[in-house]
Amino acid sequence: MSFFEYLQLNGAALSGTVFVLGLLIGSFLNVVIYRLPVMLNRQWQEMSKEYLIEQGCSIESTGSNGSEEAKLFNLITPASTCPHCGHKIRPWENIPLLSYLFLRGKCSNCASHISLRYPLIELLTGISFYLCSTLFDPDIQLIAILGLTAFLIALSAIDIDHLILPDPMVYILLWSGLMAALLGITVSIEDAVIGALAGYLSLWSIFWLFKLATGKEGMGY
C-alpha cells in the first residue's frame, strides 16, 4: 500500500498531513505576499523608464547595479533575512509556527519583534487546508481546491497591504480554473465559462460606474 492510498483510507492521517502541508505552504505564501508586490513595482518602474526613453524624455540613470539587484530579487533569491539587522534566517529559524514560538517572536540576532502576521498566515493556511480535507474526497479535486485556497489567501493579504490583485496570480487562477473544469475536475465547462464571464463583467461594471460617477478609477478593473 502506497502512502497516498494509506491517506485515502485513513481520514485522520489525511487531515494531519494536509494540515502540516498547509503550514509549509503558508510559510512560502509569506514570501509571496511580501516579495511579489516589490517585484511588480520594480517591473513597472523599468517599463516606465523604457517608455519615457522611447518618448525622448531625459531620466536619471540608476546605473547597472539597480537593474542587477532587481534581477536578483525574486521569490527564491535572496535568502530571507531580518529586516532590522540583515541576519540571514537559518533553516531551523524558519520552521512554521514552531520557530516563532521557540524564538518568542524575536530575531535571534537583534531581538527585534517578528511580525505576528507570519505565524498567522501559516496557521490560517494550515487550518484552511485541514477544513478542505474534511469537505472534499482525497483525489485530484482536493488538490485543485488546496491550490485555489493558497492563492486566495495570498491574494487577500496582498490586497489588504497594497489594494491590488496581481494580474499574474489572477491569470493563473483563471486559466487553471477553466482547465480544471474542462478536465471534469470541478464544475462543468459551461458553468466555468459563465462564472468567468459573470465575475469579469460584474467587476468591470463596478469600475466604469464608479469612474462615470466620480471621474476617478476605483476597484474592479
Side-chain angles (χ1 to χ4, degrees):
M1 179 185 297
S2 68
F3 180 65
F4 184 71
E5 290 174 334
Y6 171 74
L7 292 180
Q8 287 182 309
L9 296 174
N10 191 316
L14 172 66
S15 297
T17 301
V18 170
F19 175 74
V20 173
L21 177 65
L23 295 179
L24 295 172
I25 291 180
S27 180
F28 177 69
L29 292 184
N30 279 318
V31 177
V32 175
I33 292 165
Y34 170 72
R35 295 195 180 193
L36 184 58
V38 176
M39 292 163 55
L40 291 175
N41 187 54
R42 292 185 178 188
Q43 179 184 350
W44 296 332
Q45 289 181 2
E46 289 298 319
M47 292 173 61
S48 299
K49 290 177 184 177
E50 292 176 3
Y51 174 77
L52 291 174
I53 291 174
E54 290 176 358
Q55 299 302 313
C57 300
S58 176
I59 61 174
E60 184 178 346
S61 175
T62 58
S64 59
N65 290 334
S67 119
E68 190 64 26
E69 289 177 3
K71 291 179 182 178
L72 294 175
F73 190 88
N74 51 51
L75 298 181
I76 306 298
T77 305
S80 298
T81 59
C82 172
H84 300 283
C85 67
H87 167 66
K88 186 176 180 179
I89 307 301
R90 292 166 291 193
W92 56 87
E93 296 175 333
N94 204 26
I95 302 173
L97 286 185
L98 297 180
S99 291
Y100 186 87
L101 296 174
F102 178 76
L103 295 171
R104 297 182 180 179
K106 297 180 181 179
C107 171
S108 63
N109 186 62
C110 67
S112 296
H113 177 68
I114 300 173
S115 174
L116 188 60
R117 162 176 284 190
Y118 296 112
L120 287 180
I121 290 293
E122 294 166 354
L123 185 60
L124 173 63
T125 309
I127 293 175
S128 299
F129 274 34
Y130 167 79
L131 292 175
C132 289
S133 73
T134 64
L135 296 173
F136 296 91
D137 293 330
D139 52 23
I140 188 66
Q141 186 182 44
L142 176 60
I143 295 175
I145 294 299
L146 295 180
L148 170 64
T149 301
F151 265 77
L152 292 180
I153 289 173
L155 282 169
S156 298
I158 292 174
D159 193 16
I160 290 172
D161 287 344
H162 304 279
L163 301 182
I164 62 171
L165 294 173
D167 283 344
M169 297 184 70
V170 174
Y171 291 153
I172 290 174
L173 283 183
L174 169 64
W175 295 116
S176 62
L178 291 175
M179 181 61 69
L182 185 62
L183 296 175
I185 296 173
T186 53
V187 298
S188 68
I189 187 62
E190 292 84 1
D191 286 344
V193 171
I194 292 172
L197 288 172
Y200 179 84
L201 291 176
S202 61
L203 295 175
W204 181 86
S205 300
I206 291 174
F207 173 85
W208 282 108
L209 287 173
F210 184 85
K211 188 170 185 179
L212 290 173
T214 65
K216 301 177 182 179
E217 292 187 358
M219 69 164 286
Y221 209 45

